[in-house]
Amino acid sequence: MTQTVSATGVHPTALVDAKAELDSSVSVGPYSIIGPNVRVGAGTTIGAHCVIEGHTTIGRDNRIFQFNSLGAIPQDKKYAGEPCELVIGDRNTIREFCTFNIGSPGDNGVTRVGNDNWIMAYVHLAHDCMVGNNTVFANNTQLGGHVHVDDWVILGGFTVAHQFVRIGAHSFTAMCSLLFADLPPFVMCQGQPAQARSMNFEGLRRRGFSPERISAVKAMHKALYREDLTLEQARGQIATLTDKHPEASPDVQMMLSFLEQTSPQRGIVR
């Protein structure tokens, strides 16, 4: 690798390939290595001893702490060198010792992280994971391949998600939760395997949900978990909630869409 000075904040001991595209405002800490197919947007800071490789695109104003590995090939024996990608959005905080792999040709070839996420130490994002916006991943969260995490999710420390699991918006996992099934929006879960405990009512209040919208979420919780209904019956009951709670129509539609995409083989956390 050949060091470049396209970014004025590159430490003299960092190795940045001449083909890498770094905005002039990017800073790179000591002994970090940046590969030729990496692009980094304005205002992003990269700490010491990071390795950023592969076809990796990083947006603006991210804070990437020391000892991270971003853009390495997937831990997938089927991978044969295809030009898959890792795409990271804007204003994310990525703490120490995280590993984010590129995608795989078995999916859409991209591992993607959105904007404004708070990702703590030792988090692993396997190939083809999709992470939305405004999430919090506590220390040692581990996602298998093809896991999808929607907006405003909070994952407690040592949460583990099996491959292909979907985690709905505004949901919450307790420490050491193990997800083998899809976690619907708004649901709080705990256990190994995880079981639903309640809905994330406090989180919804903090995000400005009105009492009417929270009432609708309570009714969805009752249909899914308190009335001994099948999943199909619960979906039918949830669909009627817009009549009583018209303000919550987007929340109801989000839940119904999530449940419709859940495969019978995997099911939801119950």
Side-chain angles (χ1 to χ4, degrees):
M1 287 188 175
T2 303
Q3 185 176 325
T4 181
V5 292
S6 60
T8 57
V10 175
H11 192 275
T13 61
L15 298 177
V16 181
D17 194 283
K19 295 180 180 179
E21 299 178 20
L22 276 63
D23 184 86
S24 60
S25 61
V26 170
S27 68
V28 182
Y31 303 104
S32 284
I33 300 173
I34 312 293
N37 298 307
V38 174
R39 294 183 294 171
V40 185
T44 289
T45 61
I46 299 168
H49 296 277
C50 292
V51 177
I52 304 179
E53 56 187 310
H55 290 80
T56 295
T57 301
I58 300 173
R60 301 174 59 93
D61 299 316
N62 295 282
R63 296 184 64 201
I64 300 170
F65 284 70
Q66 57 269 22
F67 304 111
N68 280 289
S69 172
L70 307 178
I73 64 172
Q75 298 176 97
D76 183 345
K77 290 184 177 181
K78 300 185 297 297
Y79 181 74
E82 296 86 351
C84 298
E85 298 180 72
L86 168 65
V87 178
I88 298 173
D90 303 330
R91 299 177 303 278
N92 297 289
T93 295
I94 302 172
R95 294 303 303 245
E96 300 82 357
F97 299 101
C98 292
T99 54
F100 298 180
N101 295 159
I102 60 172
S104 74
D107 201 327
N108 60 12
V110 179
T111 301
R112 190 179 300 276
V113 177
N115 304 322
D116 301 297
N117 297 290
W118 183 265
I119 299 175
M120 300 186 200
Y122 295 96
V123 168
H124 176 63
L125 301 185
H127 58 87
D128 305 290
C129 285
M130 296 287 169
V131 177
N133 307 311
N134 298 291
T135 67
V136 176
F137 288 24
N139 298 324
N140 284 283
T141 295
Q142 308 287 299
L143 303 187
H146 314 277
V147 171
H148 288 201
V149 181
D150 291 337
D151 298 346
W152 297 104
V153 167
I154 298 177
L155 300 179
F158 296 89
T159 291
V160 176
H162 190 270
Q163 60 189 17
F164 293 101
V165 157
R166 298 159 53 243
I167 302 175
H170 302 284
S171 60
F172 185 107
T173 69
M175 183 177 180
C176 296
S177 295
L178 179 56
L179 296 171
F180 289 117
D182 291 348
L183 181 64
F186 312 113
V187 174
M188 296 181 68
C189 73
Q190 181 269 336
Q192 299 180 354
Q195 294 181 323
R197 302 302 184 187
S198 183
M199 294 300 214
N200 187 15
F201 297 121
E202 184 57 33
L204 300 182
R205 293 187 187 98
R206 292 178 181 180
R207 290 169 207 140
F209 274 55
S210 66
E212 180 177 344
R213 292 176 70 189
I214 290 176
S215 293
V217 171
K218 289 180 179 178
M220 287 190 274
H221 178 261
K222 184 178 180 182
L224 285 171
Y225 299 109
R226 300 297 183 190
E227 296 194 347
D228 199 26
L229 302 176
T230 67
L231 187 56
E232 187 63 30
Q233 290 169 334
R235 285 170 52 188
Q237 186 161 313
I238 290 169
T240 68
L241 293 176
T242 54
D243 297 334
K244 185 177 180 181
H245 304 283
E247 183 182 329
S249 179
D251 308 317
V252 171
Q253 293 305 316
M254 180 172 66
M255 177 65 83
L256 291 173
S257 176
F258 186 95
L259 296 176
E260 287 168 4
Q261 296 176 55
T262 294
S263 69
Q265 294 77 20
R266 183 169 298 279
I268 66 169
V269 171
R270 296 298 291 263

